[in-house]
Amino acid sequence: MTTLTERYTEVSERLRDAERLAARSAGSVRLLAVSKRHPATAIRAYYAMGQREFGESYLQEALDKQQDLEDLAIVWHFIGPIQSNKTRDIAAHFDWVHGVDRLKVAERLSAQRPAELPPLNICIQVNTSGETSKAGVAPTECAALAVAVASLPRLRLRGLMTIPAPETDPQRQRLPFRLLRELLEELVRDGLELDTLSMGMSDDLEAAIAEGATLVRIGTALFGQRE
Ligand SMILES: *Cc1c(COP(=O)(O)O)cnc(C)c1O
């Protein structure tokens, strides 16, 4: 059985190797540990190894773990689909939200972000695979949504996020990531101050880093298969 320590070392090495191969500086890609469907004890173990950023997809499960882990200085990312009736809890209990793809949800998050907390960090989710995925704004509508989200007072738009359709060929894996990078570059040219490309998971982190990912979201490679 592979221990969590071994997995952490393995994933960290994959990140460093991919950074080197892409001629990017060491440590330029942040690791988000996706702990959904895994217990708080595993989060605690990775925290002890120095991991600070964790991603969760299911609100109630996340809130339960946050209670268990109250004593730790974790940066919490919400990466799941966002239902409108859940925005109040998401706005109050997370530092980052990656799945914003409609203005209405962004407006609710901004209105419901508690005054005593800093602005909520946001990544807009883009549908880079066309018909095959329903979540995410269409690439052609990304700029308009980004400008609108960036103007909301209690949000801080940080960048873009995507979950491409599954693809095993390493060269083809890069296409949606390239599209996301080009969209981000366009927004930056238009004057938005963005610094985050949230892309790459256990099976395609190398392709994502080659195309400029600044944050990879890794579940299975760190925690093993989910139930
Ligand atoms: C589950 C999940 C991940 C992690 O996927 P793995 O393939 O297990 O690394 C990343 N991003 C999102 C949005 C997820 O829902």
Side-chain angles (χ1 to χ4, degrees):
M1 213 192 96
T2 322
T3 65
L4 296 189
T5 316
E6 284 165 346
R7 287 199 169 115
Y8 198 53
T9 305
E10 223 166 82
V11 169
S12 305
E13 283 172 1
R14 279 179 70 188
L15 250 69
R16 295 296 95 88
D17 287 348
E19 285 171 341
R20 206 173 311 120
L21 204 64
R24 302 187 44 196
S25 51
S28 56
V29 182
R30 278 154 63 200
L31 172 62
L32 176 62
V34 176
S35 45
K36 65 177 185 224
R37 299 290 187 245
H38 289 285
T41 49
I43 298 179
R44 199 174 277 284
Y46 278 126
Y47 188 92
M49 294 175 219
Q51 179 65 29
R52 291 294 176 270
E53 300 193 79
F54 291 88
E56 291 281 339
S57 301
Y58 308 104
L59 182 62
Q60 193 51 54
E61 179 191 330
L63 297 178
D64 291 345
K65 286 183 213 171
Q66 287 177 348
Q67 272 205 330
D68 280 358
L69 300 166
E70 245 174 4
D71 54 315
L72 306 184
I74 290 176
V75 178
W76 290 103
H77 295 240
F78 189 80
I79 63 172
I82 307 162
Q83 293 161 274
S84 288
N85 62 344
K86 302 283 171 64
T87 51
R88 185 174 300 281
D89 273 332
I90 294 171
H93 295 281
F94 289 84
D95 303 291
W96 286 71
V97 178
H98 292 239
V100 171
D101 61 0
R102 332 196 272 292
L103 185 57
K104 183 184 160 205
V105 159
E107 286 171 341
R108 291 176 65 95
L109 290 170
S110 180
Q112 294 168 340
R113 180 68 168 171
E116 70 276 14
L117 295 179
L120 182 59
N121 296 296
I122 299 290
C123 288
I124 289 178
Q125 183 174 355
V126 181
N127 179 352
T128 51
S129 308
E131 309 279 296
T132 51
S133 156
K134 286 190 187 67
V137 67
T140 50
E141 284 153 32
C142 175
L145 180 59
V147 167
V149 169
S151 76
L152 293 171
R154 300 291 295 134
L155 304 185
R156 179 166 172 218
L157 181 63
R158 298 295 295 267
L160 303 177
M161 175 268 209
T162 196
I163 311 173
E167 169 62 59
T168 51
D169 179 73
Q171 285 307 314
R172 295 184 60 86
Q173 281 180 344
R174 289 177 61 157
L175 300 176
F177 298 141
R178 187 171 309 157
L179 172 60
L180 200 71
R181 170 170 53 81
E182 289 168 354
L183 286 169
L184 188 92
E185 287 168 353
E186 244 173 74
L187 297 176
V188 169
R189 269 199 303 276
D190 289 348
L192 293 181
E193 280 178 44
L194 306 176
D195 60 9
T196 303
L197 271 176
S198 166
M199 58 189 198
M201 314 199 293
S202 293
D203 292 331
D204 56 13
L205 73 89
E206 284 83 5
I209 291 174
E211 290 297 340
T214 65
L215 178 153
V216 290
R217 310 178 308 267
I218 308 299
T220 311
L222 286 174
F223 293 93
Q225 293 295 331
R226 290 179 284 274
E227 292 296 305

